[in-house]
Amino acid sequence: MKPKQYLKIFYWKDYLNITIGLLAYAVGLIGFIRPVGVVTGGLTGISLLVEYATGGSIPIQYTYFAVNAILLIVALKVLGFKFLIKTIYSVLVLTFLLTLMQKIITKPIVENEPLMSALIGGMMCGAGIGFVFNANGSTGGTDVVVAIINKYKNIAFGRGMMFCDFIIICCSYFVFHDFIKIVHGLIVMGVMTYTIDLVINGFRQSVQFLIFSKKYEIIADAINKELNRGCTILDGMGWYSKEPSKVIVLLAKRSEAATIFRMIKSIDENAFISQSVVRGVWGQGFDPIKLK
């Protein structure tokens, strides 16, 4: 089997994970957060504000889709289509799911417990976003705004997102004139942030490969072109045979281990592969996804 066929399996798994994450996000938002009048961060928070302010005349999915459409048109020129393809998919799917969930969930799942409902919704939304981020996707909105700003200004992506979310949640006071809503919104933001971090760190464990093969050039090219990853080739020598050899060093996500192993074996059945789990510092200056 060719290496590219293994890559296709992983490629579609990305979109499956994004869809599952968006489904969890839509249920958490429509079934738990929206019924108790809590505002979250991001563009969905802005969309909730618009819906609350208009008494439901402008449903959340309309604002979400319209603003995202404008942002994506601008971002296409700045960031390029390849960077935004998963974001476009996420926006379309989430718009559909938000519409669908409003027809299915017609009353609060947890009644008479606004804080409990908000906390459960925050956990579900956080888990959903974590799945989307694990597949290198995005839900659009403020993610796109910060990504555009980050291209021209040297600001931390996480810090920019947190600042935007804080402003959006505080704006709920102009709709409800109630500081408790702001407190609930900030609690939800904290729960979502913690859950996102928990999901991402749970999945994003790094794996280090040491690959010994006479076909090292073909394998290294396949890693670069098919997996879109970087690798390092070291000079080695068998101490018993005193013969020189090449060693490929590759760092990847743990979820990709089986794909990488099968790809290498399809190129060279006699290749020797050593695999070990490494504690990578994801999102803190070192990200194997960006190695090229």
Side-chain angles (χ1 to χ4, degrees), residues 61-250:
Q61 66 270 22
Y62 292 173
T63 305
Y64 175 79
F65 180 78
V67 177
N68 260 315
I70 297 171
L71 289 174
L72 289 173
I73 291 172
V74 175
L76 279 172
K77 297 182 179 179
V78 179
L79 303 175
F81 180 76
K82 187 177 180 181
F83 179 84
L84 294 172
I85 184 169
K86 288 182 179 178
T87 303
I88 295 171
Y89 173 80
S90 297
V91 169
L92 293 174
V93 172
L94 186 55
T95 301
F96 168 75
L97 289 174
L98 289 174
T99 305
L100 180 64
M101 288 302 117
Q102 289 182 69
K103 295 180 180 179
I104 296 175
I105 306 173
T106 56
K107 61 179 182 179
I109 297 176
V110 178
E111 297 183 351
N112 303 320
E113 292 287 346
L115 183 57
M116 181 64 70
S117 184
L119 289 174
I120 296 173
M123 286 188 286
M124 291 193 67
C125 290
I129 293 175
F131 268 90
V132 174
F133 284 176
N134 273 329
N136 301 319
S138 166
T139 55
T142 51
D143 295 9
V144 177
V145 175
V146 176
I148 294 173
I149 296 173
N150 194 52
K151 185 171 182 177
Y152 299 103
K153 300 290 183 180
N154 187 23
I155 64 169
F157 192 88
R159 190 177 300 171
M161 287 294 302
M162 187 174 294
F163 179 76
C164 289
D165 292 345
F166 179 78
I167 295 299
I168 292 167
I169 291 171
C170 288
C171 285
S172 65
Y173 179 80
F174 298 106
V175 177
F176 299 109
H177 302 287
D178 187 356
F179 284 108
I180 298 299
K181 295 290 185 181
I182 296 177
V183 173
H184 286 176
L186 294 175
I187 291 173
V188 169
M189 185 178 74
V191 171
M192 285 179 63
T193 302
Y194 177 78
T195 308
I196 291 169
D197 184 63
L198 196 65
V199 172
I200 289 176
N201 287 335
F203 281 95
R204 287 190 172 181
Q205 294 182 9
S206 302
V207 178
Q208 178 179 272
F209 289 91
L210 297 178
I211 306 161
F212 302 81
S213 173
K214 293 182 179 179
K215 298 181 180 179
Y216 65 91
E217 291 182 346
I218 300 175
I219 293 173
D221 284 339
I223 291 170
N224 284 161
K225 295 176 182 178
E226 306 298 340
L227 297 175
N228 196 28
R229 286 197 173 277
C231 60
T232 301
I233 298 179
L234 304 178
D235 289 319
M237 184 177 71
W239 193 246
Y240 179 80
S241 64
K242 299 299 189 292
E243 292 183 359
S245 63
K246 297 290 185 181
V247 183
I248 301 175
V249 181
L250 170 64

Side-chain angles (χ1 to χ4, degrees), residues 200-201 204-206 251 278-288:
I200 289 176
N201 287 335
R204 287 190 172 181
Q205 294 182 9
S206 302
L251 195 64
V278 180
R279 285 188 176 272
V281 188
W282 294 78
Q284 298 180 17
F286 174 71
D287 190 345

